[in-house]
Structure formats: structure tokens, C-alpha cells
Amino acid sequence: MIDLERVFCEVDDFCQAFEPQWHQQLLHSGERKRRKTSSLSLSEVMTIIIAFHRSNYRTFKHYYTGYVAKYWRGAFPMLVSYPRFVELMSSALIPLCSYLHTRKGQVSGIGFIDSTPIIVCHRQRAPTHQLFRKKSHWGKHSMGWFYGFKLHLIINDEGELLAFKLTPANVDERQPVPEMTRGMFGKLFGDKGYISQPLFDLLFEQDLQLITKLKKNMKNKLLPLFDKILTRKRALIETVNDQLKNISQIEHTRHRSIANFMVNLVAALIAYTYQDKKPSLHLRFHPDQSLPIGI
């Protein structure tokens, strides 16, 4: 279970600095609109949403009505009903996105990149699916065709999130890489789907070397021993993707609005950053900086 007090304190500190600036930058149409205030603060709403992804509950409704409403009344004395809380979730999307950027890890010079499918409905229901019709698309992965999105991630050797991007499922894995790798340096390890000479040259100009395994019809190239070992450790990011889906539950087919779909995804990534033991290579370097110890 997540450390509720720690999460709330850090989220509340963020909201105190973020909310005034956010409201100053909001555009107004000039029309007078009734703004219904909530008894729950923004930091409380965000904390409850984030904590869901470390609660082991499979649905948010059962989590809220069966756990939060029963056992967290003392922590959240002004708790609202479940339907009202669902209405409040969409208002937390922009603050959650901003908070996620403050939870990114440090660039260490070693990065791993991968994409994972985010399925929004069963393939047989895709022709009649309406909610994501203008946003999602058909894509193909190792298990076959799917309908939905791709989540692109970059992590460092300690399993910390460095960059993330959501695209329709038909977007090529290589397309979002230049934007995601801004400010990064060192070595970036990916699978064969990232093989591209123009992409390699573009990243090399910013001191980032893209390293992938070769396809069968490509000429073999000699790699330094350290790079060769790390190409075999690319499963690290696949472990992160697996934990995001099976523990943080970034993927399910019960969404009723696009905003709440995004809230679920972003909050799951934030919850992952609070994980005490992330998948890691535990790299420790020899004093001559040539041989890694512990991988």
C-alpha cells in the first residue's frame, strides 16, 4: 500500500504553488458561469486517485466505496459520494500532468526506450466503439492487432521515468523519439523497431547514441562489451511496462470519458514513481569506469 501521508504532503505542497499560477493563466470567455465548489481540495482528489493504483483493487468504484469511504474517513473528513468524485476527476487532469513532470528521474547517461499497447476495447467491438473513435486507431504488436493507443516510455538504469508520450496505435515507434529525448545524453537502448539511420544521426548530434539489436539481414557490427551487456538488459523496461499494466492498471476497457481515461493513465505513472523498489540494474562502476559491477 502507498504511503498516504507522504503522497498527500508532497501533492499538497505542489498544489499550493501550482493552483495560483494555473488560475491566472486560464482563459475566460466573458460569460458568467456558476462554479460549484467542492468540499474536497484538489490535493485530496489527486491523492485519492494516485493511491488507487497501489491499492490492489481492480476497479475504482470498488476501491472508493469499499475502501476509501470506509477506512479513510478520518484522513478525508469531507469525503463526497462516488458519483460526485467521478465528476471531480476530470478537473484534476492538468494538475496531475504537471505533477507527473516533477516526478521524472535523473538522466544518467543510460536509457531504455520501448512502447506498449493500451487497448481500449476488444477487437470485435472496435467497429462500434464510439468514445475513442476520433483519437485511437488500429495497431499491431507481438500478439496481433489491437485497437487503442501506444504508450512510449524512456527510463534510466534505475527504472525511473525520464519521458513518456501517448500516441494512436498506428504511429511508428520512431516518430516521437526526437521530442522525447530532448536534453538527454549518453546511450539509449531500444528494440529492432527503432532501427533507423536518420534517427541515429539525429540523436547522435545531441550526444545520444541509439543502440539496437540487428535484424537478420543486417551486417554485424562490433560493440563494446559494456554496450553488448546492456542490450541484453533491455528487458528492464519491459518489466516496467508489465508492472504498469498489472499493478498500476494503466489499461482497461471500462472508460466512459476521454478525460478520465487520461486521469487514470497519468495517475498510474505517478503511482509508479512512488514505488519503493523499482526494476533496476543496480550498476556500480569500477574505479577505471570501464567495467560495470553487479549486472
Side-chain angles (χ1 to χ4, degrees), residues 23-174:
H23 290 304
Q24 287 179 1
Q25 296 178 9
L26 290 176
L27 298 178
H28 299 279
S29 62
E31 299 179 2
R32 295 183 62 182
K33 295 183 179 180
R34 181 187 176 193
R35 179 176 294 178
K36 187 176 181 181
T37 59
S38 170
S39 56
L40 278 177
S41 66
L42 176 61
S43 55
E44 289 176 316
V45 173
M46 291 172 62
T47 300
I48 292 173
I49 297 172
I50 293 170
F52 162 66
H53 296 281
R54 305 297 302 172
S55 66
N56 296 324
Y57 277 83
R58 302 301 297 176
T59 66
F60 188 85
K61 182 177 182 179
H62 291 154
Y63 157 76
Y64 190 85
T65 59
Y67 189 83
V68 177
K70 290 183 178 180
Y71 303 107
W72 283 358
R73 283 283 180 182
F76 305 101
M78 305 301 292
L79 210 59
V80 298
S81 65
Y82 171 72
R84 175 58 179 156
F85 191 88
V86 173
E87 294 176 359
L88 296 174
M89 291 176 70
S90 59
S91 64
L93 176 56
I94 294 178
L96 282 169
C97 291
S98 299
Y99 184 59
L100 176 57
H101 281 278
T102 69
R103 299 290 304 170
K104 293 194 294 186
Q106 296 294 323
V107 177
S108 63
I110 299 174
F112 298 90
I113 186 170
D114 196 16
S115 66
T116 186
I118 305 295
I119 300 172
V120 298
C121 72
H122 193 276
R123 287 183 298 177
Q124 294 180 347
R125 292 175 47 217
T128 59
H129 187 79
Q130 297 297 326
L131 180 60
F132 297 100
R133 178 166 295 278
K134 296 182 180 180
K135 303 293 183 180
S136 59
H137 212 283
W138 284 100
K140 191 174 184 180
H141 62 137
S142 58
M143 301 300 291
W145 290 93
F146 69 97
Y147 187 74
F149 301 90
K150 283 181 183 177
L151 176 63
H152 306 263
L153 293 178
I154 299 179
I155 65 171
N156 61 17
D157 57 290
E158 294 296 324
E160 299 173 326
L161 298 180
L162 300 180
F164 29 80
K165 189 175 182 64
L166 185 71
T167 65
N170 63 333
V171 172
D172 190 282
E173 281 85 353
R174 295 163 290 191

Side-chain angles (χ1 to χ4, degrees), residues 203-240:
L203 297 182
F204 196 76
E205 291 179 357
Q206 64 180 56
D207 296 325
L208 183 63
Q209 183 181 4
L210 178 63
I211 301 174
T212 65
K213 289 186 176 181
L214 300 179
K215 295 181 179 180
K216 294 181 179 179
N217 59 347
M218 298 177 67
K219 293 182 179 179
N220 191 20
K221 295 182 179 180
L222 295 177
L223 287 176
L225 177 60
F226 183 45
D227 294 350
K228 193 170 184 179
I229 293 175
L230 287 180
T231 55
R232 299 173 182 173
K233 298 295 181 178
R234 204 194 60 82
L236 182 73
I237 192 169
E238 295 176 355
T239 303
V240 173

Side-chain angles (χ1 to χ4, degrees), residues 247-262:
I247 298 178
S248 296
Q249 300 183 53
I250 61 172
E251 179 185 67
H252 67 76
T253 58
R254 303 180 300 275
H255 297 291
R256 295 297 178 265
S257 74
I258 296 177
N260 284 6
F261 162 76
M262 291 300 302

